[in-house]
Structures are given as C-alpha cells and as structure tokens.
Amino acid sequence: MSRETTDIYNPKTIRATNGFSVQKPFVYVDDFCETIRMAKAQGIRLYAAHLKGKNTYDGKTTESRSGFLIGNEGNGLTEEAADSATDYIRIPMEDSLNR
C-alpha cells in the first residue's frame, strides 16, 4: 500500500473491511508504482480492480503468484497504477463490501 493510504489498523478501516485488514499481511511502500513494476518483474500477475475490467476475479486467486490492486472507494486506482497491472478485473456487486 502507498504511504498516503488510510491506516489499515484504523478502527473504521477494520470495520469497513469486515476485519479482513487484520487477517492478511500488508506492506506500506514509498513508491507504489515502482513496487508494482518489481512484482511483475518477478513473475507476479497483478489484477487491477477497474471499471474497464471485462472479467471478474473468479478463479484468479488460485494462481500461486498473483496480487490484486484495489484503489480507494472515491477515486479508485491512479491511472498509472491501473495501467501497470497485468489485467483489469471487475468486482461483482454481490462480492463488494458496499452491497
């Protein structure tokens, strides 16, 4: 996560993510897009949650070296971060925390 993001351990964040934010490891990085490039160089497939996504993420979590790029609720990912991903995906509303 970029350092500009909300504190993942903020009580509102924990509540909004239904506790998911304390179940998985997170790393804060100084240069988010550079970290994306480094991950891709290591063969990690990255999926950006984006309105342009044609497919849902179903089945993609079974890949052993994959990651998901998810932006904030108001603005989504930056254009640079989204364009750095391997593929765009959609999150179905029934799987969204906003349903």
Side-chain angles (χ1 to χ4, degrees):
M1 296 184 303
S2 70
R3 297 219 183 268
E4 293 83 41
T5 193
T6 301
D7 177 16
I8 199 67
Y9 301 109
N10 178 304
K12 289 182 180 180
T13 304
I14 293 170
R15 187 171 48 253
T17 63
N18 290 326
F20 182 80
S21 60
V22 295
Q23 297 174 12
K24 299 292 179 185
F26 287 89
V27 176
Y28 288 97
V29 296
D30 292 319
D31 188 333
F32 188 63
C33 290
E34 177 59 25
T35 303
I36 292 170
R37 286 187 285 277
M38 288 173 31
K40 285 176 61 179
Q42 294 179 28
I44 298 171
R45 192 166 187 88
L46 297 172
Y47 300 93
H50 201 281
L51 293 174
K52 293 180 185 175
K54 302 226 184 304
N55 299 312
T56 64
Y57 66 86
D58 295 340
K60 300 200 185 306
T61 58
T62 60
E63 295 177 23
S64 62
R65 296 181 53 85
S66 61
F68 294 90
L69 306 176
I70 301 173
N72 67 35
E73 183 179 16
N75 300 315
L77 291 166
T78 65
E79 189 173 326
E80 181 183 8
D83 289 346
S84 297
T86 310
D87 294 297
Y88 288 157
I89 57 165
R90 290 178 82 66
I91 297 176
M93 186 53 104
E94 61 269 12
D95 293 342
S96 170
L97 294 174
N98 292 323
R99 61 184 165 115

